[in-house]
């Protein structure tokens, strides 16, 4: 198996991909759920898998404090499961913050890691007890400090997203050449610039991205100390991959890289991560139904009762889910589309599926507990997917 080029010099990663078994919700639970009836697409979640994934993450990186990225799946039942396990939380909006408040979460430990926010959102979060704010520019630093001068702010830096199925660099993250100015402004303002954060890209299959980013963070810590600032936080973000259609490095393999990279960090520096997909994706099946099939010239088209607007947006952006059906026919290319009138609502082209697909057949997306129902909307008046628990 070919390894990513960044790992070619690391013989200990000869067996880099798929080295550990990955969980999946028992399909028998899906069968039982369908016996209760079907009136719209639904996500079926097994909370025990969420618990097991949380514990596995802790075991792989014992020094790393886990803050669940609420945006991955903000269902209150998911948040309660992780809160009971002792997880912290990361939010990106006032609505996510309100959810945590309603569930009695300690807001002083919540991290607001969306690095650019409306001024009123900062004011609201600070009024509710949020202390930790990410930022990635001089402008945002000044804004946060003006609204919440006692906030603990941490700098999001740009870092390579090589090997990530959904790169996140570009929109956020300060460049290394801009760091000195930001540190100077923080020192001038008297802002509590306490640390660094980064994101290696969603569904990252290259563990070396974390090493590169951690090394960059260490250099920034040195610059901070030179200006009289004391770093106390390293936030290694999210991006931890789950088993979809491509091979992945396990969290244990990534943990080896992270643990080695942080081994020389001072004890006073707290290390945290913001896993979202990793904690909830494997715990669920997304279940939908065929509403129509046809041929258009040489193309076979299958239409589902959900699509990019109903929870499967990531399928249109290069994230490859496995797709399962109850049919056993020969596999042939299908174009897979959603039910809306919008022509962009096409999930996949030339997806290999059984040739005997028919109306009312069920379609199953395993390991789809993250960024499915969270993305869903009522566009065209179609109902939101249901969320059921085992």
């Amino acid at each position: 198996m070919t390894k990513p080029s960044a790992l070619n010099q690391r013989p200990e990663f000869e067996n880099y991909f798929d080295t550990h078994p990955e969980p999946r919700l028992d399909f028998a639970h899906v069968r039982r759920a369908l016996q209760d009836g079907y009136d719209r697409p639904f996500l079926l979640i097994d909370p025990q898998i969420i618990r097991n994934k949380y514990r596995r993450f802790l075991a792989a990186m014992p020094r790393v404090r886990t803050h669940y990225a609420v945006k991955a799946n903000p269902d209150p039942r998911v948040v309660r499961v992780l809160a009971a396990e002792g997880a912290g939380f990361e939010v990106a909006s006032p609505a996510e913050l309100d959810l945590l408040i309603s569930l009695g979460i300690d807001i002083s430990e919540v991290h607001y890691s969306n690095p650019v926010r409306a001024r009123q959102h900062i004011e609201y979060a600070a009024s509710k007890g949020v202390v930790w704010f990410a930022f990635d520019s001089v402008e945002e630093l000044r804004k946060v400090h003006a609204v919440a001068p006692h906030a603990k702010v941490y700098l999001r830096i740009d870092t390579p997203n090589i090997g990530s199925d959904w790169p996140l660099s570009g929109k956020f993250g300060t460049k290394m050449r801009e760091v000195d100015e930001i540190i100077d402004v923080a020192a001038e303002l008297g802002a509590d610039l306490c640390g660094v954060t980064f994101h290696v890209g969603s569904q990252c299959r290259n563990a070396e991205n974390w090493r590169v980013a951690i090394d960059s963070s260490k250099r920034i810590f040195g610059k901070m100390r030179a200006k009289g600032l004391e770093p106390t936080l390293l936030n290694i973000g999210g991006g931890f991959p789950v088993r979809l259609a491509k091979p992945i490095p396990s969290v244990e393999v990534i943990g080896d890289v992270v643990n080695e990279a942080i081994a020389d960090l001072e004890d006073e520096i707290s290390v945290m991560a913001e896993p979202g997909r990793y904690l909830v994706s494997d715990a669920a099946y997304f279940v939908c139904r065929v509403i129509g099939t046809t041929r258009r010239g040489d193309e076979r088209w299958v239409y589902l009762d959900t699509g990019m607007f109903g929870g499967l947006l990531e399928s249109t952006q290069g994230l490859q889910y496995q797709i399962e059906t109850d049919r056993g026919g020969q596999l042939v290319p299908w174009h897979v589309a959603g039910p809306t009138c919008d022509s962009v609502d096409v999930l996949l082209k030339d997806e290999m599926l059984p040739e005997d697909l028919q109306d009312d057949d069920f379609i199953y997306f395993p390991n789809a507990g993250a960024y499915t129902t969270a993305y869903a909307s009522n566009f065209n008046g179609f109902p939101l997917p249901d969320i059921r628990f085992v």
Side-chain angles (χ1 to χ4, degrees):
M1 181 177 293
T2 301
K3 296 173 287 194
S5 58
L7 301 174
N8 287 345
Q9 305 305 315
R10 298 186 62 78
E12 64 268 37
F13 288 139
E14 181 179 354
N15 297 315
Y16 182 77
F17 291 114
D18 294 342
T19 58
H20 294 67
E22 301 293 336
R24 176 184 290 195
L25 186 148
D26 187 340
F27 193 74
H29 292 306
V30 177
R31 293 290 188 211
R32 284 193 288 271
L34 287 171
Q35 291 174 1
D36 294 334
Y38 179 93
D39 62 358
R40 56 176 165 152
F42 66 87
L43 188 71
L44 182 66
I45 299 175
D46 183 349
Q48 187 56 48
I49 294 178
I50 297 175
R51 296 184 188 100
N52 292 343
K53 292 296 293 284
Y54 176 79
R55 296 167 189 175
R56 182 176 170 185
F57 192 94
L58 292 185
M61 287 169 271
R63 184 175 172 179
V64 180
R65 167 83 167 143
T66 305
H67 283 241
Y68 173 59
V70 175
K71 58 183 171 289
N73 188 322
D75 188 279
R77 292 166 289 185
V78 169
V79 174
R80 288 193 190 99
V81 167
L82 288 165
E85 288 293 311
F89 296 92
E90 177 268 325
V91 301
S93 72
E96 292 175 358
L97 177 60
D98 285 342
L99 169 64
L100 299 183
I101 291 171
S102 73
L103 297 175
I105 304 298
D106 180 4
I107 301 305
S108 68
E109 291 301 317
V110 170
H111 286 239
Y112 200 147
S113 287
N114 190 352
V116 181
R117 297 147 298 237
R119 183 178 298 270
Q120 58 267 37
H121 291 178
I122 301 170
E123 293 172 346
Y124 181 76
S127 74
K128 297 299 181 181
V130 175
V131 177
W132 302 88
F133 292 88
F135 74 101
D136 68 351
S137 67
V138 167
E139 294 82 0
E140 193 70 12
L141 171 61
R142 292 188 185 279
K143 186 196 304 179
V144 174
H145 186 70
V147 173
H150 301 297
K152 296 181 179 295
V153 293
Y154 48 105
L155 175 63
R156 178 159 169 174
I157 60 172
D158 183 56
T159 194
N161 280 197
I162 300 167
S164 297
D165 284 351
W166 194 317
L168 297 176
S169 58
K171 181 179 180 180
F172 297 125
T174 191
K175 306 295 185 183
M176 287 298 289
R177 63 180 177 270
E178 300 162 344
V179 168
D180 287 340
E181 179 188 4
I182 288 173
I183 292 175
D184 287 344
V185 172
E188 173 190 325
L189 293 173
D192 187 0
L193 175 55
C194 64
V196 175
T197 186
F198 55 82
H199 203 299
V200 298
S202 188
Q203 194 67 0
C204 180
R205 299 185 302 120
N206 179 9
E208 287 298 295
N209 285 356
W210 277 278
R211 183 187 306 279
V212 171
I214 291 170
D215 287 346
S216 295
S217 300
K218 290 176 182 177
R219 290 195 294 273
I220 294 172
F221 289 160
K223 292 174 177 290
M224 291 170 60
R225 292 189 183 100
K227 293 293 183 177
L229 302 173
E230 276 302 316
T232 59
L233 175 69
L234 172 63
N235 181 345
I236 65 173
F240 304 93
V242 298
R243 179 71 53 77
L244 297 175
K246 296 180 182 179
I248 61 168
S250 69
V251 73
E252 288 80 11
V253 168
I254 295 171
D256 287 344
V257 173
V258 169
N259 294 336
E260 179 182 316
I262 65 176
D264 60 350
L265 280 179
E266 297 81 355
D267 291 341
E268 59 266 24
I269 295 181
S270 173
V271 186
M272 61 169 281
E274 298 175 352
R277 189 189 307 277
Y278 177 81
L279 295 178
V280 296
S281 183
D282 296 337
Y285 261 87
F286 192 85
V287 181
C288 58
R289 207 167 199 174
V290 174
I291 60 172
T293 63
T294 191
R295 295 187 74 112
R296 304 193 185 284
D298 295 331
E299 299 171 348
R300 296 173 185 260
W301 283 79
V302 56
Y303 296 85
L304 309 181
D305 59 356
T306 192
M308 68 174 294
F309 300 105
L312 297 174
L313 173 67
E314 287 193 319
S315 294
T316 71
Q317 302 298 310
L319 209 71
Q320 295 181 335
Y321 284 100
Q322 297 179 31
I323 302 178
E324 300 174 357
T325 82
D326 297 314
R327 295 289 175 180
Q330 179 181 344
L331 298 180
V332 297
W334 287 87
H335 292 356
V336 183
T340 68
C341 68
D342 199 313
S343 61
V344 304
D345 193 9
V346 177
L347 300 175
L348 299 159
K349 291 193 173 182
D350 295 324
E351 181 73 10
M352 301 302 288
L353 295 170
E355 64 179 348
D356 52 345
L357 284 178
Q358 299 176 18
D359 288 10
D360 297 329
D361 283 354
F362 288 109
I363 303 292
Y364 313 103
F365 291 81
N367 297 6
Y371 300 106
T372 45
T373 52
Y375 272 133
S377 75
N378 287 120
F379 178 62
N380 268 183
F382 287 97
L384 294 173
D386 193 14
I387 303 177
R388 309 186 194 179
F389 275 64
V390 171

